[in-house]
Amino acid sequence: MPRLNRPAPLYRQIAAHYERLIAEGELESKAPFPSVRVIAREWQVAPNVAQRAVDFLKTEGLVRAVPGKGTFVNGHRAKYGPQQRMRALTFPASERVEVRAAEIIPSPEYVIPLLGLEPGADGVTRVLRREWVTYEFGDEPFMLSVSWHHPQAAGLVPELLNLLPPPAPMAATTIAERGGHEEPLLELWFESRQVKDDGREGPLLRLPRDAHCQAVTYTLTSGEDALEYGEFVLLEGRVINVVVEP
């Protein structure tokens, strides 16, 4: 039976539960959504609390009401963001990850200060770069991601140089664990824009050149150490949740 944690409003806890089920694919697109009566009974809350939870999900566009038929899941709009992925042990069951690049290369200038990189003995500043595409429904791409790490991270996590999904959804989580760091601090930046004409974003996400997307950049730091800088492009219309903790 679902359990409640009292610090957060009850309707938000209920809504968060169903957000996770939608994000993980346990509640599939167009599937019937539980009625207010069922939710109230299962969670042992008043009907008005259950109704607020459903209304909240409707506001997010995650469920929709069809007159005379009921409420239904509104596609796979809910997606895990960096925060949820940082704390997850595995990738959501509804997703498939295809790693396209995992290599140590000369670093772009803008990445050097973000990770605190320094030139090697040959004067070249290198960085570990990974690129992957995430699919839903098995073969529909919805996110293109790139992460950057200090080259020394390959010593702690050799898997980062394999064309396979990392041990955890966010590589920084594994780097922190194996390097004895505290849980990384996450910072996010969001931008809504057209896809770049770079030969990657449009083709890999199967989008036309004038399509819009959500672009997110983030850093994961532990103390003075920058463990990961990342960038990802998400199809327009997807919803990611960020929880601000006091």
Side-chain angles (χ1 to χ4, degrees), residues 158-182:
E159 303 98 308
L160 295 180
L161 291 177
N162 295 332
L163 293 178
L164 296 171
M170 301 295 282
T173 304
T174 309
I175 295 171
E177 290 176 352
R178 297 186 186 179
H181 298 279
E182 295 181 355

Side-chain angles (χ1 to χ4, degrees), residues 114-115 179 181 184-185 220-228:
L114 294 171
L115 293 178
H181 298 279
L185 171 68
L220 285 162
T221 57
S222 181
E224 298 297 319
D225 298 316
L227 305 184
E228 180 171 341

Side-chain angles (χ1 to χ4, degrees), residues 30-49:
K30 301 180 181 179
F33 191 76
S35 67
V36 169
R37 180 179 300 177
V38 168
I39 293 173
R41 183 177 66 247
E42 289 187 351
W43 289 83
Q44 297 183 0
V45 296
N48 68 307
V49 174

Side-chain angles (χ1 to χ4, degrees), residues 104-134:
I104 295 176
I105 62 172
S107 177
E109 287 295 325
Y110 77 95
V111 175
I112 294 174
L114 294 171
L115 293 178
L117 302 175
E118 296 182 355
D122 57 0
V124 178
T125 303
R126 293 180 172 83
V127 68
L128 195 166
R129 177 184 181 274
R130 291 177 58 84
E131 178 179 284
W132 64 98
V133 179
T134 308

